[in-house]
Amino acid sequence: MNSALLSDPTSKEFKEWRVSNLEGSSMTEIHIVISTMVLSYWCWKCKTAAEFHRSPTGFAGRGWSHFLFECVVFLAPMFLVLTDSYVYQTIAVLVAASVYFRWQIPDAPYRHDKWAPDPRAEEFSKSYIPGRVTAKPYLSIYRAEMMLLTCFCILAVDFNVFPLKFAKVETFGTSIMDLGVGSFVFSAGVVGIKAFLPRCTDGKLKTTSLGHQLKAGLWTAFPLLALGVARLVLTES
């Protein structure tokens, strides 16, 4: 390939060469990077619980202060670890902050509940059967972190600050961006059942038959099936 084209960072050939023959990184490194997302959630959970026990009647769980804290605790560590800078320092800060906030939560029996109430729980219980189907905050956090991670990687992969060991591999290997495909499929499977769960409408329990569920599922998947068939025909021809 022409060396002059490779020396031009704006050329198409240079961009293709930059992301070619990537082999990813080790699973240990991927686990270390992803662990910061778990620590961010743990730090946020301990912080909200500490605020709730400090003022149970005035706790709302929503507001500008909570929004800014969530931006700091979720976005800042993600930026630092995905640019391969201060990874272990970030983990140490998150662990220290989590321990500090957890220490502020009183032990039983000097507390109403160990964790702060979910603001969506009351609204969720009106739509589904109480006691059988409850809100799962960790699923929301998992899907939100997955979406943030995906958006960050897609936007940052074209910049030098993003380590290419985290980008999609070409033939063999594993990287953080490769985990995104499987994570989306897994996430869709986990929450896909929500549309078919029995729901309470006007105080009455509403269920859907198996035939209706199959019909709704096929109708939802029909555009994807049509696109898949069209791609197969065009590719083979």
Side-chain angles (χ1 to χ4, degrees):
M1 186 176 291
N2 191 344
S3 59
L5 294 175
L6 294 180
S7 62
D8 182 12
T10 62
S11 66
K12 177 175 178 291
E13 289 77 8
F14 177 83
K15 294 179 181 179
E16 292 179 349
W17 169 81
R18 183 172 177 268
V19 295
S20 299
N21 302 318
L22 300 180
E23 299 180 354
S25 57
S26 65
M27 291 301 298
T28 301
E29 186 173 19
I30 293 175
H31 289 154
I32 292 175
V33 172
I34 297 298
S35 68
T36 57
M37 318 301 169
V38 181
L39 291 174
S40 296
Y41 172 52
W42 179 247
C43 182
W44 169 82
K45 195 171 183 64
C46 293
K47 170 69 162 50
T48 54
E51 288 187 354
F52 169 68
H53 289 290
R54 186 161 51 245
S55 179
T57 57
F59 180 80
R62 296 174 181 176
W64 283 107
S65 60
H66 292 89
F67 175 75
L68 292 176
F69 176 76
E70 288 171 359
C71 289
V72 172
V73 78
F74 287 114
L75 297 181
M78 182 181 298
F79 174 82
L80 291 175
V81 298
L82 289 180
T83 55
D84 203 24
S85 54
Y86 309 106
V87 176
Y88 294 101
Q89 293 88 333
T90 302
I91 293 176
V93 170
L94 288 175
V95 171
S98 301
V99 171
Y100 172 74
F101 292 129
R102 178 63 184 87
W103 177 73
Q104 293 184 339
I105 302 176
D107 296 327
Y110 304 103
R111 65 181 185 220
H112 303 281
D113 191 8
K114 187 174 183 180
W115 306 115
D118 186 357
R120 306 170 305 157
E122 183 178 356
E123 181 181 354
F124 195 91
S125 62
K126 295 178 181 178
S127 301
Y128 296 95
I129 306 174
R132 291 182 56 186
V133 182
T134 58
K136 304 294 190 297
Y138 56 85
L139 286 180
S140 300
I141 293 295
Y142 165 72
R143 301 184 75 203
E145 288 274 19
M146 179 186 65
M147 185 59 67
L148 289 174
L149 186 67
T150 302
C151 295
F152 183 93
C153 290
I154 291 176
L155 294 174
V157 70
D158 293 327
F159 295 88
N160 293 328
V161 71
F162 185 79
L164 291 180
K165 61 184 178 180
F166 295 153
K168 289 183 66 67
V169 300
E170 187 169 359
T171 306
F172 298 103
T174 305
S175 70
I176 289 180
M177 291 189 71
D178 289 309
L179 295 179
V181 178
S183 295
F184 267 98
V185 175
F186 175 77
S187 173
V190 169
V191 301
I193 191 61
K194 181 180 178 182
F196 305 105
L197 293 174
R199 304 193 65 169
C200 295
T201 305
D202 298 329
K204 298 180 180 179
L205 183 63
K206 182 180 179 181
T207 59
T208 55
S209 63
L210 178 60
H212 179 77
Q213 294 179 13
L214 292 175
K215 180 181 177 181
L218 290 175
W219 179 254
T220 304
F222 177 76
L224 293 178
L225 293 174
L227 288 174
V229 172
R231 181 183 182 279
L232 176 62
V233 172
L234 293 174
T235 302
E236 292 299 326
S237 61

